[in-house]
Structure formats: structure tokens, C-alpha cells
Amino acid sequence: MRIRLGYVAIALNLDKVTSSSTLTYSRYLKMDEENRLKKLKEVTYSNIEALEKILRYNIENNIHFYRMTSNFIPLATHPEVMWDYLKYFKKDLEYIGKLIKDNNLRVDAHPDQFNVINSDKESVVENTLRTLNMQVDLFEAMNYEDGKMVIHIGGAKGGKDIASDRFIYNLKKFPQRITNRLILENDDKTFNAEEVLKICKQTKLPMVLDVHHHNCNSCEEDIKSLLPKVFSTWEEEKLPPKIHFSSPREFENDRKHADFIDAKKFLEFIYKAKESVNKDFDIMLEAKKKDITLNTLVKDLKHITKDIKFIDNSTFEI
């Protein structure tokens, strides 16, 4: 069983490099027309340049799995702006995509919590559609067919059964270019793993199991019985299944993420995965210290066990 580790958005070992620079709408309004476009282009170019630096850092350090920020193009989905960034940056994005593909990286996205497909408010669903379309635009501009987007089911207004039906109903109105790239995730308060699995079966979408969310918002099934069912949702996918893993910050089942990963708890999960599925998969580490967390976890695992054979800085077999 081979596992690749990844991290989210920011490489902390690269000092002052961020692909999440923003331009607020209020600041945008204070500018004249010429300076508005100039600033939008300036911030976007800075983010693209930073993303290239992060990807090259990952390549140099044999980190093959990465989640790009969802705040990459400033004001791209704001209804009063929605500027044509592809007119100016298509070639740059093609270059980023080539860098990803030539080095066999896996890069995905996780649009923020304001994107709610099962909202009962039409405006929220429309905003979600706009955001997801924009993320697909980015992946298509990169010519990156394997780019995926993780999203939660949403709220439970009217009860979970009604909210689940609303998710499925609303999703049917979304274009295939979006649904082909979606992955559904269990959350830490509302929809647990069993409930998300049920929706995945109905929508034929793959599922990512968030282990920490499962610990906070559990269901009747344990990890060992869940994993084969979660992995079965990936049977039609080219990519291996993925898992989200984090540790609670202060106390057991604290929903907030810790800076680092508890290596012993992580290893317990790996043993369970070996027993229940014994298949290759990727793990996104959702921890505050980002790439530093990944490096620290690798060192800790090497210290506490001989069962794991590391292939490179972020890949191991067991």
C-alpha cells in the first residue's frame, strides 16, 4: 500500500510567498477605471508567480500532492467585477498546468464554506455555481483534466433528508463540467460519513473521508468499515482515493485543527487502512503548519516505527 502526503495552500518554508493575495471590493471601488484593471492584473500576476514558486518547491522536495488556494484570482466571481482575467493570463496558466502535468503532481481545490449547493436561497446557489465555474475555468486554462474540487453537502435546513434531496435537486441543474470535478466530503457538525456516502451513491460522485470530521461527527460505522465503501466511490476515477487527516488543537474532538499531526494517531489510522482496504491512496494533511507539518510528521513516523518504508520525502509504503 503506497501513500502520498500533501498539504494546503501555503509553503511556510518559503518566506513571504503567498498565492492568496487579494483586492477587496471596497478598495477596488476607490480606484479609477484604469487603476482598477492595473491592480487586478498586478495581484493576479503576483499570485501566479507565487504558485509557480510553491509548485517548484514541491517538485524539488518530492511533494506530489497539493491543494491550491481558493483565493487565487481577485474579485473574479464578484458580480460587479467578474473581469476577464483569462484574456491576460491564459498563457501563464497554461504554463502552470504544464508544470503540474510534467512533474506528475496532483493539485486540487476546496472552495470555501460560502459555497453551498443545498442552500434554500437561490442567490447562494447562484454564487456557488459562479465560483465552481470559475475554478473549472482555471483548471481548463491549465489544460489540467485531473483537477478536482472538494465540497461539503451544506446545511440541514428543513432536516437532513430534505437538505439531502435539495442538494441532489440543485446539483442536477449544475453543468457537467462542474459535476465531473466534484468530490463530496463529510463535515464536523452536520452531514456525517454515512450520510455523505448515501448521497455519493445517488449522485455517482466520489467521496473524501475526513478522519477528524468523522471523529467529531461520527456515525455507526467505524473507520475500518467505512474505508472500503468510501474507496468504492472512486472506482470510475483515474485518480487514487484521497483522505483528509488532521489532529484536534486542544482536546479530543476539538473541531479546530492543530499545528501538527499526532504521529501515533496517524499511524493507527494507517494500520486500519492497511487491514481494511490495502490500496494506494493520498492523504491531505490539514494542519496549521502546512508543509512544515508534513516534514515533521515524516520525521516522527521514522522515529516511532520500522513498518513504514519511505520512497521519498512525502511517499511511503507499508
Side-chain angles (χ1 to χ4, degrees):
M1 183 173 79
R2 177 171 289 200
I3 291 169
R4 298 185 300 180
L5 303 176
Y7 71 96
V8 177
I10 302 169
L12 293 178
N13 277 319
L14 295 178
D15 188 35
K16 297 180 181 179
V17 174
T18 177
S19 57
S20 304
S21 296
T22 61
L23 173 64
T24 64
Y25 184 57
S26 59
R27 186 180 174 197
Y28 171 85
L29 286 177
K30 293 175 183 177
M31 300 176 181
D32 59 38
E33 202 68 35
E34 181 180 348
N35 282 316
R36 285 176 180 176
L37 180 58
K38 181 181 178 182
K39 189 63 178 179
L40 287 168
K41 290 165 67 176
E42 178 185 303
V43 175
T44 300
Y45 182 75
S46 172
N47 286 344
I48 292 173
E49 190 176 45
L51 179 59
E52 181 188 352
K53 289 178 181 177
I54 293 169
L55 292 175
R56 290 196 179 281
Y57 163 81
N58 291 343
I59 293 162
E60 291 168 6
N61 290 277
N62 291 306
I63 299 172
H64 316 285
F65 187 25
Y66 172 72
R67 181 192 299 165
M68 65 182 293
T69 177
S70 57
N71 298 312
F72 190 56
I73 308 292
L75 300 177
T77 60
H78 195 290
E80 302 301 323
V81 184
M82 292 181 66
W83 62 294
D84 187 8
Y85 61 90
L86 291 177
K87 176 181 176 181
Y88 306 101
F89 296 105
K90 180 68 167 67
K91 290 294 183 183
D92 300 275
L93 292 169
E94 285 177 357
Y95 178 78
I96 291 293
K98 187 175 187 303
L99 190 62
I100 291 169
K101 291 179 291 183
D102 286 353
N103 293 279
N104 296 314
L105 303 179
R106 180 177 186 173
V107 176
D108 64 12
H110 195 336
D112 62 34
Q113 72 272 19
F114 301 110
N115 295 286
V116 184
I117 291 176
N118 81 343
S119 175
D120 61 332
K121 296 180 180 178
E122 188 174 342
S123 61
V124 174
V125 178
E126 288 176 356
N127 289 338
T128 301
L129 176 60
R130 188 183 304 119
T131 299
L132 298 184
N133 258 322
M134 191 274 288
Q135 183 62 60
V136 175
D137 288 342
L138 282 174
F139 283 142
E140 289 186 350
M142 295 175 186
N143 298 316
Y144 182 48
E145 293 181 359
D146 291 336
K148 294 282 188 176
M149 305 178 289
V150 178
I151 198 162
H152 295 287
I153 303 301
K157 189 168 183 180
K160 287 188 186 179
D161 289 341
I162 291 174
S164 297
D165 290 342
R166 191 164 58 241
F167 179 92
I168 294 167
Y169 174 80
N170 289 345
L171 187 70
K172 288 177 180 177
K173 296 185 286 184
F174 279 46
Q176 192 174 16
R177 72 192 297 264
I178 289 177
T179 57
N180 282 348
R181 293 182 183 268
L182 284 182
I183 303 170
L184 306 185
E185 178 188 357
N186 57 307
D187 66 70
D188 56 357
K189 292 188 288 187
T190 310
F191 285 91
N192 65 35
E194 280 182 331
E195 292 158 344
V196 175
L197 263 173
K198 182 179 178 182
I199 294 172
C200 284
K201 289 176 182 177
Q202 292 176 273
T203 58
K204 295 182 169 36
L205 292 178
M207 176 180 169
V208 55
L209 177 66
D210 188 303
V211 177
H212 180 53
H213 289 174
H214 173 67
N215 292 336
C216 296
N217 182 24
S218 61
C219 57
E220 291 186 4
E221 296 199 57
D222 61 13
I223 289 290
K224 287 175 69 173
S225 61
L226 279 171
L227 281 175
K229 296 177 182 179
V230 171
F231 280 27
S232 72
T233 66
W234 289 82
E235 289 176 354
E236 302 300 317
E237 300 290 332
K238 292 190 300 180
L239 294 167
K242 58 174 284 193
I243 295 291
H244 289 176
F245 197 97
S246 55
S247 297
R249 183 188 296 179
E250 295 182 7
F251 53 87
E252 187 176 2
N253 298 344
D254 180 1
R255 296 202 302 266
K256 299 183 186 70
H257 293 166
D259 286 352
F260 295 98
I261 299 295
D262 183 325
K264 290 182 179 179
K265 293 288 186 183
F266 180 86
L267 189 58
E268 286 176 14
F269 167 74
I270 296 302
Y271 287 143
K272 290 176 182 178
K274 177 74 173 177
E275 291 176 19
S276 63
V277 288
N278 197 24
K279 294 180 180 178
D280 297 349
F281 62 97
D282 296 336
I283 300 180
M284 181 58 67
L285 302 175
E286 296 185 318
K288 298 296 183 183
K289 291 297 183 180
K290 311 294 182 177
D291 56 314
I292 296 174
T293 295
L294 190 156
N295 295 336
T296 301
L297 176 61
V298 169
K299 290 177 184 176
D300 289 345
L301 290 172
K302 288 178 177 179
H303 179 71
I304 65 174
T305 182
K306 301 292 185 183
D307 295 340
I308 287 177
K309 176 187 176 184
F310 274 91
I311 308 303
D312 57 36
N313 291 349
S314 69
T315 309
F316 64 85
E317 290 180 344
I318 183 169

